[in-house]
Amino acid sequence: MSDTFRRPHDPMVVVRGLTRTYGTGPAPVHALRAVDLEVRAGELVAVVGRSGSGKTTLLNLVGGLDRPDAGTVEVDGTEVTALDDDGRSRLRRDTVAFVFQTFGLMPALTAAENVGVPLRLRRTPAAAREERVALLLDLVGLRDHADQRPGELSGGQQQRVAIARALAGSPRLLIADEPTGQLDAETGLAVMALLRAVVESEGVTAIVATHDPVMMSLADRVLTIADGRVGE
Amino acid sequence: MRTLPRPHGPSVRGRLRTDRGLLVLTAAVVALVTALLAAVGPLTVRTADRAVAASVRDAGTRGAVVATVAQPDSRGPRRRDPGSVERLAGDVESARSRMPRVLAAAVRPGVVSLTSKPLQLTDAGPGRYLRLAYVATASGPPSVTWVDGEAPASSAAPGQEAVVVDAAAPPWPVQVGLSTSAASALGVGAGDQLEVEDEARRSVDVRVSGIFSPVDPDDEAWLAQPGLLSATTGTTEGVVRTSATALVGDASLPDLRIGVPSDDLSEQVSFLPVPEDVTWRGAPALRRAVVGLQSGGQGELTGTGFDTLLDRVLDDALTQVATARGQAQLLLVGLTATALLVLVLGAQLLVRRRAGTLALARERGAGLLGLGLELAVESVLVTAVGTALGLGAVLALLGPEGWTVAPSVVLVVVVVAGLAAPVLGAVEAARATGARRVPANRAARRALVQARATRRLLLEGLVVTAAVLSLLALRQRGVGDGDLAVGSVSTWWALVAALLLVRALPLLVRPALRWARRTSGLSRLVVVARVAEAGTRALPLTVLTVAVAQLVLGVSLAATERAGQEAGARVAVGGDARLRASPEPSLVRTAATVAAAPGVRTAVAARVTDARLSSSSQAVDVRLVVVDAAAWARLLDDSDLPAGSGPARLEGPGRVRALVSGGSAAVGEGAQLRWDDAVVPLDVVGTAPQVEGSAEPVVVVDTRALAGAGTTAPPDTVWATGPGAVEAVRAAAEAGDDVTTYAGVLAQRRAAPLPSALVALAAASALVLLALAALGVVLAATVDAPARRVSAGRLRSLGVPDRTLLTMLTGELLVPVLAGVVAGLVAGATCAAAITGHLGLEVVTGETAPPSLVVPWWVPLAALLVALVVPVLAVREAAAVRRASLARLLRGGGPG
């Protein structure tokens, strides 16, 4: 995490010439072609595009889950593409949080324990951790489900737990990859509203890949990605 | 009519290709277990044959079948028979022809002996006795070298070979030869004419023609009359008594017939069994033949009676083999059970990996029977290959006898290996598509849960009942050949331990989870939560617990047996070294010399001889030990030898005090020792320890106390202890003395067929069990690997460092393994403690009482070797997680 405080409207994410190609030989897939973009701090950006357009690749590269073939990604002043494995782990632990389409919860842990994972990674004292977990579960409306495991929760509830977990470590950047992809319309709407609300209340920057027009309407900005190129 | 669905070939081939690694592993397990079980049969027979042969060989003359031929009444005139040698040879053939064919085929050519009763030499006072004996094997009398004088010649003048001697005529002279030892002990030389008379004071004219030394002291002929080569000396009621035997030759045999009253002569034919011709399977028939021969009452009709201890020798050998086979069965049942559990675990993994495709096939309309058949085709193929490899290996290693396989045991393995995957696969497919209806009614749901719990309790109750019954069977019957109820006791015990572990582990995990929740770190919480979720599965825990328990039991039995052999060898020797010589008072000085040698802690002289103990209620043959009680007490203190009630009790005034096996209660009132001609009243003051591994009861008396009662027993034995004992005893030994060492006896016992085979089996089964346990850990880990990989990927996405991830994976895999190992260790050790006393180990170790259980200190370390698999698995899984694209892993999703 950068030591300097980043003011609103300063760029939180700066992407320059980002290129990612899958496969080699006669038919490589060019997921991203020299993409440039900036996302300002506190901004909620929706990334839209057809399936296979490169949305998830862009998010993975920004979050340090994948490495580009060319180009750079800077998050909160840190050049992600220059980090080694440990550095990228640190980035995911301290700066960036994810919300996945498939929720990505730990099935063996309860909802509260899942939310507390980022705090445990930072060795937050138990009392402070429990207080923060309770607050976040309240925020996502799942206080009564704190002791239930993901398998005992509905899809929407699981996604809300995932959002709470993503926020638990107070990340500077929240990356959500089609967070409503596996939810029904009503639940999806509730999740999106929640995302919008927490971005504002927690002051985080969010990049959300989505197909959903409602999400686009809630975003500060919509980036369209097609054939590996980004446009507004 | 419905026809059986045809298996879909491409599907079968596809599955074979996809899971070839696991299928090869399954075939390897089948091959290994089949080979092991198939090899056990022929190897057992081979070992049992060797053991029975060794027992017969070790029994020596005890195993001989001795025919006693009645002597003709020769009152009145006696005719010298020049054909006496041929007549004796005829008696040998006659005796052999009266034996059952099975016995006649198992014995060597007979050794015939014609022996007189002890005749007293009257020329130099009392105390010197001489027997006259003719001995001959099929090749004639034993070869000797005449060191003085010449071979005994005929006493008949030429042309008078068939002379008739009148009853009133003077004694007919009999020429004999004496061994150097006998001549020296009796104080006679070549050319001496001895004044000799029998118990009825009838005179016998004995002339010493020469002094000889044997060409081969181990010649079978000498065994029939050991007194021919060495004289014995003792003191009875203050009188020194020397006994020896004189050799009658072919030429003087007719003279023996007429020179000694016929009622003083005894003719015996001794047939030694050929050890290699006595097999384990043939021994029962041979034993029946021996018993029948002895009880047939032929003696009265034919004039030839048979006597032998061969039936007891065979009895003992068969008991030893049955006991050893029972012990081996214990190990093999455990090994087989573990292998079967591993095979089922492997099948479970196979089915788990195919759950998706099976469900898909079912959803597309495939019938359960069809799916089961497809899986069976592949399973049967794999099992057939494994079985063929296993049997082929046995055939290659053991030759044609490798076909003597116990088919039932191998069949069990083959059936389980062949059916596990199809059955589990069909069940999985049925579950995947069968709607599991959960009752909406709460009471109905509760009833469902209760029914499930009852079924589980019932199953557990059956296992516990089987364990209890098998333990009771063992305590009542002891181990026995082919007694599966007894042979499965340790397996049931281990299964009970596994059930307890499966019950207890969730209870133990719960508080651990509460504790982990209170901590601030992540690793402990994830590890305990994952263990609670996936680490308490019954089958992997059962595999590990049973394997480790059997491992502990096998190793403990082997260690106990080896410790028992050590104790038994020390008792058999009487110290670290033993010198056995002809009875000589000078051995007391020899003992003192040995005791003074460097490295010798104690040395004591003793007389160890056969005697008879009688009382108002019984009379028994005993092993008499006459020893300096104080010196012996020091030797017992210095060694691990059993001391009984303690030699200190032997000293005191009054009648001769004695320690007797079983104590005074075993003897009864009025105990009297009868040895040679002496009768010594005894005061039984305690229990005698076992001495030199004697099978007979032991009587121990103090040398001075016995001498005080007028009977002197010159020592024939020196026992010594200490690191220098062997060297000192060897240095003190003279020609003809016998030196026995603890190390030598121990090595001999360790090399004996049954103990060595049992130790080898225990070692081999321990290694196989370790391998199976490790394989169980790998299979169990592989079953859960996909879920673990997804969890690990999710944790990585949250920024968990690789090192922490490795710790979590190691912890998650290690906890159930450690739980299984600990449960197995406890189960194995307690089972060994509960059953060791009933396994008849003493029958194999040569002790009189069951040896104390020895659980080697390194057993837990050996068991923990299984846990070494875990770090390897964790590192591999962590590497796989690192290699996998995190993005793709997370996109793949999964539960939760």
Side-chain angles (χ1 to χ4, degrees):
Chain A
M1 193 187 335
S2 172
D3 291 337
T4 53
F5 180 70
R6 202 160 287 275
R7 289 169 304 173
H9 310 298
D10 284 350
M12 170 61 73
V13 177
V14 178
V15 173
R16 295 280 178 259
L18 200 60
T19 301
R20 180 73 167 98
T21 304
Y22 295 110
T24 52
V29 177
H30 300 287
L32 293 178
R33 299 168 194 259
V35 170
D36 294 324
L37 69 88
E38 284 187 9
V39 177
R40 289 185 295 277
E43 197 177 19
L44 193 162
V45 174
V47 181
V48 298
R50 296 169 62 181
S51 291
S53 58
K55 300 189 297 291
T56 301
T57 301
L58 175 65
L59 265 54
N60 288 340
L61 290 171
V62 170
L65 294 180
D66 200 358
R67 286 180 185 278
D69 298 320
T72 59
V73 176
E74 201 175 292
V75 175
D76 198 18
T78 302
E79 191 181 331
V80 177
T81 42
L83 293 174
D84 60 6
D85 278 353
D86 285 346
R88 291 193 297 155
S89 285
R90 256 195 316 278
L91 177 84
R92 293 195 295 268
R93 191 167 61 231
D94 299 333
T95 308
V96 183
F98 294 90
V99 175
F100 299 104
Q101 184 180 357
T102 51
F103 320 135
L105 299 175
M106 297 286 294
L109 303 182
T110 63
E113 286 161 357
N114 266 293
V115 175
V117 167
L119 300 169
R120 283 178 178 273
L121 277 172
R122 295 177 182 186
R123 297 254 164 207
T124 307
R129 183 186 71 227
E130 281 169 19
E131 192 181 338
R132 172 90 174 140
V133 166
L135 184 77
L136 287 166
L137 284 174
D138 253 351
L139 183 68
V140 297
L142 288 174
R143 184 158 206 169
D144 294 341
H145 300 275
D147 294 331
Q148 286 181 294
R149 300 218 170 135
E152 298 162 342
L153 298 173
S154 68
Q157 287 171 326
Q158 287 186 58
Q159 195 58 293
R160 282 191 274 162
V161 173
I163 292 169
R165 183 183 67 182
L167 297 173
S170 302
R172 310 296 301 273
L173 174 65
L174 179 67
I175 296 175
D177 187 5
E178 298 189 31
T180 60
Q182 295 200 349
L183 305 177
D184 60 73
E186 192 179 341
T187 311
L189 183 62
V191 167
M192 284 173 208
L194 176 65
L195 268 176
R196 174 76 258 180
V198 296
V199 163
E200 283 172 9
S201 65
E202 298 281 321
V204 300
T205 308
I207 305 176
V208 182
T210 184
H211 292 292
D212 199 315
V214 179
M215 187 75 241
M216 292 176 221
S217 67
L218 291 174
D220 296 320
R221 195 150 55 104
V222 176
L223 298 176
T224 303
I225 188 163
D227 199 20
R229 299 178 201 281
V230 173
E232 288 200 47
Chain B
M1 198 176 87
R2 286 182 66 186
T3 54
L4 279 176
R6 287 183 61 188
H8 185 239
S11 297
V12 174
R13 284 194 293 277
R15 288 195 196 105
L16 278 171
R17 268 197 303 274
T18 308
D19 292 319
R20 60 181 176 274
L22 191 54
L23 294 172
V24 167
L25 200 64
T26 305
V29 173
V30 172
L32 179 69
V33 179
T34 305
L36 201 67
L37 294 176
V40 162
L43 285 178
T44 301
V45 172
R46 194 185 283 183
T47 305
D49 282 347
R50 286 173 52 212
V52 170
S55 291
V56 171
R57 192 178 301 114
D58 293 346
T61 52
R62 271 183 72 229
V65 179
V66 179
T68 303
V69 182
Q71 295 303 295
D73 186 1
S74 61
R75 279 175 292 191
R78 286 167 287 167
R79 180 179 171 276
R80 188 176 183 279
D81 179 9
S84 292
V85 171
E86 291 74 21
R87 210 171 296 283
L88 284 187
D91 288 344
V92 174
E93 286 313 306
S94 169
R96 180 183 277 274
S97 69
R98 292 195 171 99
M99 289 183 193
R101 192 172 300 170
V102 64
L103 178 59
V107 294
R108 295 168 61 83
V111 177
V112 66
S113 66
L114 184 67
T115 316
S116 75
K117 287 180 180 170
L119 307 170
Q120 188 173 7
L121 276 72
T122 57
D123 57 342
R128 294 189 305 157
Y129 293 86
L130 185 67
R131 284 176 189 266
L132 310 184
Y134 170 84
V135 291
T137 62
S139 56
S143 300
V144 297
T145 304
W146 295 99
V147 295
D148 192 11
E150 55 193 17
S154 166
S155 298
Q160 300 231 319
E161 286 85 0
V163 65
V164 176
V165 179
D166 191 73
W172 184 263
V174 184
Q175 288 197 22
V176 299
L178 281 171
S179 67
T180 48
S181 158
S184 164
L186 294 173
V188 297
D192 285 354
Q193 182 174 351
L194 307 179
E195 291 175 23
V196 175
E197 60 183 29
D198 68 0
E199 283 177 336
R201 306 190 73 80
R202 290 174 293 189
S203 294
V204 177
D205 183 355
V206 176
R207 299 177 185 189
V208 180
S209 67
I211 309 300
F212 69 86
S213 67
V215 172
D216 177 11
D218 297 326
D219 191 313
E220 199 180 337
W222 301 121
L223 294 176
Q225 286 297 329
L228 282 166
L229 298 185
S230 60
T232 57
T233 304
T235 304
T236 306
E237 294 173 347
V239 178
V240 177
R241 180 190 167 102
T242 304
S243 300
T245 304
L247 180 67
V248 175
D250 277 352
S252 60
L253 176 62
D255 304 321
L256 178 67
R257 285 272 190 207
I258 57 173
V260 176
S262 62
D263 56 349
D264 281 344
L265 288 175
S266 148
E267 181 188 337
Q268 290 186 324
V269 187
S270 175
F271 297 93
L272 272 176
V274 183
E276 290 72 25
D277 289 350
V278 184
T279 62
W280 171 58
R281 284 186 173 148
L286 187 61
R287 189 189 157 281
R288 282 194 298 275
V290 170
V291 172
L293 183 68
Q294 290 184 98
S295 60
Q298 286 187 31
E300 291 172 14
L301 298 172
T302 63
T304 302
F306 287 89
D307 193 21
T308 180
L309 292 175
L310 183 58
D311 53 338
R312 286 196 210 170
V313 171
L314 293 175
D315 255 350
D316 290 347
L318 289 172
T319 304
Q320 282 183 5
V321 171
T323 306
R325 279 170 61 91
Q327 292 162 6
Q329 191 182 35
L330 206 66
L331 300 176
L332 287 170
V333 170
L335 191 66
T336 310
T338 310
L340 293 179
L341 287 168
V342 168
L343 285 173
V344 174
L345 192 58
Q348 200 181 54
L349 171 60
L350 206 59
V351 169
R352 187 73 66 91
R353 286 163 66 105
R354 295 167 174 183
T357 53
L358 285 173
L360 196 62
R362 184 85 175 119
E363 282 162 3
R364 286 177 177 168
L368 287 179
L369 190 60
L371 283 174
L373 273 177
E374 278 182 15
L375 292 172
V377 168
E378 160 202 290
S379 187
V380 165
L381 189 67
V382 169
T383 307
V385 169
T387 309
L389 283 174
L391 293 179
V394 173
L395 188 66
L397 290 172
L398 299 179
E401 64 178 313
W403 284 120
T404 54
V405 176
S408 56
V409 188
V410 175
L411 198 64
V412 171
V413 176
V414 169
V415 167
V416 170
L419 288 184
V423 170
L424 290 176
V427 170
E428 178 72 30
R431 275 189 189 158
T433 49
R436 284 177 129 189
R437 291 189 181 84
V438 178
N441 181 320
R442 186 177 294 174
R445 279 204 301 273
R446 201 177 300 136
L448 204 65
V449 170
Q450 278 174 352
R452 211 172 291 150
T454 307
R455 275 201 302 275
R456 184 177 172 181
L457 267 177
L458 198 66
L459 186 69
E460 290 169 342
L462 283 174
V463 173
V464 172
T465 306
V468 170
L469 289 178
S470 60
L471 187 61
L472 286 176
L474 173 67
R475 284 175 174 263
Q476 285 176 354
R477 301 201 288 262
V479 286
D481 194 2
D483 191 343
L484 198 60
V486 169
S488 60
V489 62
S490 58
T491 305
W492 288 119
W493 195 291
L495 284 171
V496 169
L499 289 178
L500 284 174
L501 177 64
V502 172
R503 282 278 185 187
L505 198 54
L507 300 177
L508 294 172
V509 167
R510 231 171 277 164
L513 193 54
R514 280 199 294 272
W515 162 80
R517 280 176 181 146
R518 286 196 298 272
T519 61
S520 59
L522 180 63
S523 303
R524 277 167 285 200
L525 176 68
V526 171
V527 166
V528 179
R530 286 284 302 154
V531 168
E533 186 189 51
T536 58
R537 295 215 172 95
L539 190 55
L541 288 174
T542 305
V543 168
L544 205 51
T545 306
V546 171
V548 173
Q550 295 297 334
L551 170 76
V552 174
L553 180 73
V555 171
S556 299
L557 288 187
T560 303
E561 187 187 302
R562 286 175 75 82
Q565 284 175 331
E566 288 169 12
R570 200 170 293 283
V571 170
V573 175
D576 290 323
R578 181 184 70 204
L579 172 69
R580 187 86 84 204
S582 300
E584 281 288 344
S586 63
L587 273 183
V588 175
R589 283 198 306 279
T590 305
T593 308
V594 170
V600 178
R601 290 195 296 269
T602 54
V604 58
R607 179 64 178 271
V608 182
T609 183
D610 294 331
R612 202 158 168 81
L613 181 70
S614 61
S615 67
S616 56
S617 57
Q618 58 176 325
V620 290
D621 291 326
V622 294
R623 176 68 56 91
L624 173 65
V625 179
V626 185
V627 64
D628 177 344
W632 195 45
R634 284 196 297 277
L635 183 134
L636 295 181
D637 282 346
D638 179 61
S639 62
D640 298 330
L641 289 164
S645 300
R649 294 192 183 192
L650 294 173
E651 294 170 306
R655 283 194 297 183
V656 175
R657 296 180 169 208
L659 300 177
V660 180
S661 298
S664 55
V667 182
E669 294 296 316
Q672 288 186 320
L673 177 69
R674 293 172 182 272
W675 177 58
D676 275 0
D677 293 333
V679 178
V680 182
L682 296 179
D683 184 8
V684 179
V685 292
T687 305
Q690 196 192 9
V691 176
E692 293 189 358
S694 166
E696 296 88 20
V698 174
V699 175
V700 184
V701 296
D702 180 50
T703 307
R704 276 186 289 275
L706 191 65
T711 300
T712 306
D716 63 350
T717 301
V718 174
W719 293 313
T721 61
V726 173
E727 204 175 323
V729 166
R730 284 200 173 126
E734 294 176 359
D737 291 352
D738 180 32
V739 174
T740 309
T741 65
Y742 162 73
V745 171
L746 182 60
Q748 197 180 7
R749 290 186 175 208
R750 293 232 160 118
L754 289 178
S756 59
L758 276 173
V759 170
L761 177 65
S765 63
L767 288 177
V768 175
L769 283 165
L770 265 181
L772 288 175
L775 188 56
V777 171
V778 173
L779 290 174
T782 314
V783 168
D784 281 327
R788 214 166 24 249
R789 206 166 294 175
V790 168
S791 288
R794 288 172 183 177
L795 288 168
R796 274 192 80 204
S797 76
L798 296 173
V800 173
D802 290 343
R803 194 173 298 167
T804 310
L805 214 55
L806 180 63
T807 308
M808 288 176 183
L809 286 171
T810 307
E812 182 186 335
L813 290 168
L814 196 60
V815 170
V817 171
L818 287 181
V821 167
V822 170
L825 282 171
V826 173
T830 52
C831 179
I835 69 174
T836 300
H838 305 277
L839 294 181
L841 285 174
E842 68 277 13
V843 175
V844 183
T845 60
E847 296 173 281
T848 52
S852 303
L853 175 67
V854 176
V855 181
W857 59 267
W858 48 264
V859 166
L861 297 181
L864 282 172
L865 282 178
V866 177
L868 288 182
V869 177
V870 167
V872 178
L873 288 171
V875 167
R876 285 195 56 168
E877 280 197 16
V881 169
R882 260 201 316 277
R883 275 198 308 274
S885 160
L886 199 50
R888 194 170 297 172
L889 196 67
L890 294 164
R891 195 69 191 262

